[in-house]
Amino acid sequence: MQSFEPLIIAFVCNWCTYTAADLAGTSRLTYPSNVRLIRVMCTGMVDPQYIIKAFLEGADAVLVSGCHPGDCHYINGNFKARRRIRLLKEILPQFGFEADRLQLTWIGASDGIQFTQTMRELTERTRELGPVASRSQMVF
Amino acid sequence: MLRENYHAVIIGAGIAGIRSALDLAETGSDVLLIDRAAHPGGLLSRLDAQFPTDGCGMCKMLPLLERDSAEATCLRKGFFHERIDFLPATELSHLEGGPGRFAVRLKQTLQGVDPQLCIGCGACETVCPVDMPDDFNSGLSRSKAIHRVVPHAVVGAYVIDAAACTRCGACVPICPTGAIDLAFDRRKEFSILVVDDELSVRDSLKEWLLNEGFMNVQTAESGAEALTLLEQSDVKLLLIDVKMPGMDGVDLLKQAKADHPDRVAVMMTAYATVDTAVEAMKSGALDYLIKPFDPQAMLAMVNRVFQATVSVQERQVTAGAVILAGGMTLFDPGEGVNPYGYGTHPHVITSLAFERVLSGCGPSQGRLVRPADGKPLQRIAWLQCVGSRDCQISADFCSRICCMISLKEAVLAKNKSNDAVETTIFYTDMRTFGKSFEPYRRQAEEERGVNLVRARVHSVTASPESGDPLLRYAGLDGRMHEAEVDLVVLAAGFRPSPETEALAELTQAERNAWGFFQPQPFAAACSSAEGIYLAGACTEPVEINAALIQASAAALEAGRTLRRSGSQLALAEGPAAKGVAPDAPPRILAAICTCHGCLSETRNTEKLISGLTRDPAVVQVLFVDQLCGADGWGPLEAAIKDVAPNRLLVAACHPLRHSTHRRALSRRTGLPENLMTIVDMKIEPTEPQADTTARSLRTALGEHVLSASLQMGVAFLKHTDPTAPEREQVQRKALVIGGGTAGMHAALAIADMGYGVDLVEKENRLGGNLAWLHHTLEGHAVKPLLDQLDDRVIQHPKITLHLEHEVVNAVGRVGDFRTTVQNAQGRTEILRHGVTILATGGLEAETTAYGYGTHRAIVTQQALERQIGSGEADAAAWDVVAMIQCVGSREPSRDYCSRVCCPTAIKHALYLKEKNPRVQIYILYRDVMMTGFSESYYTEARRAGVVFIPYRPQQLPGVETSPDGIVTLSVRDPIAEVDLKIEANLLVLATGVVPRLPAKLAAFYGATLDSGGFFQEADSKWRPVDGLREGVFACGLALAPQTITEAAAAGQAAAQRALRILCHESLSAGHPTAAVRHSLCVLCQRCIDACPYGARSVDLEQRRLVVDPAMCQGCGACAAVCLNGAAILNHHGAGQMLAMIDAAVE
């Protein structure tokens, strides 16, 4: 069987995780090319429709990653994201997407290594989950 | 390019320097910021998390208004502001002139790598043979001689450690951009003259030097011959023998120096003539070498001289004011007696090194393991007061922040190990003096299980069995104890940074006994020299909060000086770029970096082009080489002028490093910056072993990823709204509520800068607590300060004083507040102002504890101070005076340290002892909070015989009174383990400070109160005087417990923050900013609740939702909660995001 290469969309906040991604880049740490980064100002601005859209359009996993609790540049945007992701994890399975395909992490500006590890682990996990089974039954 | 004339030069680019620089830049000054390090950020660049938030928030220092003037990214990576030039590795070499007209000479050390050319590929690091301890990680990891100074810095920050570099030259050919210069050519030309009467010395020296690459070496056997040679050639370095027949070395030196004073000379001497050589140094010799000398030592010295000659670049600029912000440095625990085995025991490290252990980019990538052997940590001990509060090493001061640092490190270690690690802090007094520090300590101790042991550790040795550190300490019970741990962390104190002495000489700014700069009485930011101001820890070890307050105060003082000396500030209003019509169809120019030719080799460029031009919005695809350097941006500029796009997409490595180029391009082409986007190409070098020429590079990600990145960039740009943000008019006037120390300082500061101030005071006089304060701990009388402030405020033409007035209502937003004030007769008046400063002050807390109010011999510290002031206090009549500290403070009901009580008690104790040396004084305390240099008064009090007895909050002292005027205290002495009875003539209670800031008043301006009733800052570390709602500030006791000097500085800091707003005629939003689509809005107001900055409100007249563009910071929380898509975030809108998702999954 041909190995499955998942597509992962990562919404990363401008202040922490995007900076960690840059640190990974400048430290010449690599991470799987399955991941597409979308820089957002804050995880608190990630509208659930973006995540649902990503899944519907073909993403096999979605990561939302921002500043550690207490670090948010905008005071509490990461907490808003946390509440939202928790709800989405309840809803997504009803649409045929396993809750595990959505992940929320906190990756600070110095955590370049943690950034690449997270990307690797997520890619690996999604690879194990395989393609979204329900997608073949979806009518667009 | 660098400017030549600046409003201010700031020396030291730590957080205080950055704060001062940003404050000045935001009020229109051009600032030159220099640092002797190669990277800005100072100590904080090595700290991932700060107390008491356990996180970082440095980015919160960035401008909140005119946000586009600075780069919106993590400040620890470096920073950019359009009015600030930063010079790394630069020191002050000469200073002349005075306020308004300083001539500043600077010396910059070049780092061997051209930052403009370096692309951060790291190829050089792979070939460098030098393996040395990594300074950034406190020596816990290894680095190469060529390395990045700060691992998380924006690329281009490679430097060569000149002392460690062997000049093997391996890095030069491998660098793909030719950025490395080891000055081999200049080494060959560097002219050296060896003068010695012994042939063998001359020959061997010449040979050694030739081997080291110095080809231009001449020799002379006598002084006369040397002088002839000196006339013929431009000799840079002389090596002179002291004892020669005929003209001796010192004479030669004098003559050689006479016409060329910049010539460097090193004396060579036998042991017998060392005195002569030392004498020669007075005549201008750099140093001396004792014969027979070690060739390595000699060559190291010659290399040093050579490096200093070739790698030093001099600059001369002018400045109106100078701010010293050199910060502090860590005490080296290896100095002196070193009882804790630092440097000899492998498992003893400093607190700063432990910060690196905790860091994600530290030696163990954030895993909690022992640095020396990688063993997982299970038991860690922190030793407080190492190098602080130690009279034996002339450090009779407290470094102030170590207690909190250790608490934080213990909590972070607990976090990392899911509470598994055992943490113990051995402390003297736990100095949790800040507003939120006491709850932090309680939480650490009671909830997280951090052990606090009050003991001074005697020594650390290696355990004979395990080799682990073994601590011996005397406990409070007076017996010796032992403890074995895995790691000992020394909470090392602080010392002035090494350049302080030289700076003091150059600037004539006075220093104190411990080498820190000495501020003027009641003016923390003023040095003894005119026009030279002090910011941050160069005056005293301080935490972030205090450093930033002082830095803002220094910016204020510098601004005042600039205004007095007639400097014109260049505050450009409105965007420089011409803008793009909102209805113009997008025309995107896509520029792709070919990265030194590697793209053409490895990629199918045709496919990239066709992929991009499939979208009609992309008008042209351009391949440019070296967009990472200045070379590539020239062709790009030409193309923009030629193609006239209204959007620009750039694909290059490391998007964060291009901000300067992007801004310059925007200025020159008129294309707004927000219509340019840079996507990451992620090019990285191949392993050099595979290809020895190593000029080829490969992409880290596949070709399809680059294509997707480009498509995402196109989608982002295509849906960007080009409308220029709106501007809101500013009422250029301030309202200051409260006429105490802080309020008067704030009012004067703003008025001195030419803006009107309404100063509202409830009482019929100014001064607040200054009225009853008699003298300070340092012995400064308070009355002259009050008189002077009172006079200045009353006479200031820009200040309108409203005595006996109270604020009864207020509405508005930043730039336009309307406040109703009412006088005692009930007459009201409406004041319009752009900013509000809350300086409502505080009072001594009331108490009923310890029988207060039942007996006239039981008084508070304030009452005693009043008695001293009025002369009623009759020290001679008292035999015994007792004082109880922390009355009602540092308890869950009032959970903060009032900070002023310990200094006040000791001040009064010293006063009484001076008046009546026979009086016995007992001070019952919990922790003596004599932070910073006030510690020395604590020592003085103990020397004067004041007895300090600790008590625990679980076992409060008992008080009994008798009709004969005697108050009897009973307290348990924990050391002697006996119950004491103290019969005192006077019992003085330190009840602490409570704020006087009514919640209703704060609410008028959208401010909130913290658990202690003080003003809640936007961020207790990084925005210490700002409210979360822009335009509202606080200072003085309404903000936090403070001394007079601290309140004055906070007043000035609040004023400086307010001036950022007042200096604009109108305020504009930055990018991105939220907006409202009114046709879709149903006024459900969910967005109002979501906005952390209070930028959204309902306009009741128009019945619609409005966003204040100056208050909005562009987080987009509102857009995410809006059900109708009515709340939008411009420049990061839903349309853009959805289009990007589409492009990403394509």
Side-chain angles (χ1 to χ4, degrees), chain A residues 19 26 28 71 73 80 110 113, chain B residues 55 59 77 121 155 365 1090:
Chain A
T19 314
T26 56
R28 296 171 300 286
D71 285 16
H73 180 77
K80 290 171 180 150
S110 326
I113 295 165
Chain B
C59 55
K77 293 186 82 74
C121 70
V155 288
Q365 284 102 46

Side-chain angles (χ1 to χ4, degrees), chain B residues 394-641:
Chain B
S394 308
D396 188 15
F397 64 90
C398 157
S399 291
R400 194 151 126 148
I401 53 178
C402 332
C403 286
M404 285 306 291
I405 291 177
S406 294
L407 275 174
K408 172 197 76 176
E409 290 183 347
V411 168
L412 291 177
K414 287 267 184 194
N415 289 350
K416 283 231 179 251
S417 64
N418 287 328
D419 286 330
V421 68
E422 201 179 293
T423 53
T424 310
I425 301 176
F426 293 90
Y427 71 100
T428 320
D429 288 284
M430 193 42 73
R431 289 188 168 163
T432 49
F433 57 89
K435 219 167 46 163
S436 53
F437 298 176
E438 187 65 25
Y440 188 86
R441 169 200 170 154
R442 178 166 300 124
Q443 206 174 11
E445 196 177 5
E446 292 170 10
E447 291 172 27
R448 305 306 302 278
V450 175
N451 299 324
L452 300 184
V453 177
R454 189 161 189 204
R456 204 134 188 185
V457 175
H458 166 272
S459 59
V460 177
T461 52
S463 152
E465 291 90 41
S466 60
D468 287 343
L470 183 68
L471 275 57
R472 298 191 71 234
Y473 63 95
L476 267 189
D477 54 10
R479 282 185 280 276
M480 288 306 284
H481 298 265
E482 283 189 351
E484 200 178 308
V485 294
D486 297 325
L487 186 71
V488 171
V489 181
L490 302 180
F494 293 93
R495 295 288 181 271
S497 64
E499 83 271 25
T500 312
E501 192 176 348
L503 278 175
E505 244 171 62
L506 290 166
T507 58
Q508 300 296 308
E510 277 171 19
R511 294 187 300 151
N512 67 12
W514 298 283
F516 287 86
F517 284 113
Q518 176 66 51
Q520 297 300 289
F522 306 118
C526 292
S527 77
S528 61
E530 253 194 295
I532 314 276
Y533 301 102
L534 307 169
C538 66
T539 57
E540 191 171 14
V542 283
E543 74 282 16
I544 296 166
N545 165 299
L548 296 194
I549 288 179
Q550 205 196 344
S552 287
L556 187 277
E557 293 285 6
R560 236 184 203 155
T561 296
L562 290 169
R563 189 178 160 82
R564 226 179 284 135
S565 61
S567 283
Q568 297 293 314
L569 299 184
L571 203 65
E573 292 283 354
K578 58 179 175 244
V580 171
D583 51 353
R587 287 170 53 78
I588 301 174
L589 170 67
I592 302 168
C593 179
T594 55
C595 210
H596 306 274
C598 76
L599 189 66
S600 55
E601 290 164 26
T602 58
R603 281 188 202 289
N604 185 342
T605 50
E606 287 299 314
K607 213 165 128 194
L608 276 180
I609 295 172
S610 64
L612 280 169
T613 50
R614 204 173 56 199
D615 192 322
V618 179
V619 290
Q620 194 170 336
V621 181
L622 182 73
F623 288 90
V624 192
D625 196 22
Q626 297 188 37
L627 272 175
C628 43
D631 290 355
W633 291 79
L636 187 53
E637 187 182 332
I640 291 174
K641 285 178 179 155

Side-chain angles (χ1 to χ4, degrees), chain B residues 753-765:
Chain B
M753 295 305 281
Y755 303 101
V757 179
D758 282 303
L759 178 56
V760 178
E761 168 57 54
K762 204 161 141 180
E763 296 185 23
N764 62 358
R765 55 160 187 90

Side-chain angles (χ1 to χ4, degrees), chain B residues 741-753:
Chain B
T741 315
M744 286 195 285
H745 273 91
L748 283 169
I750 294 173
D752 280 352
M753 295 305 281

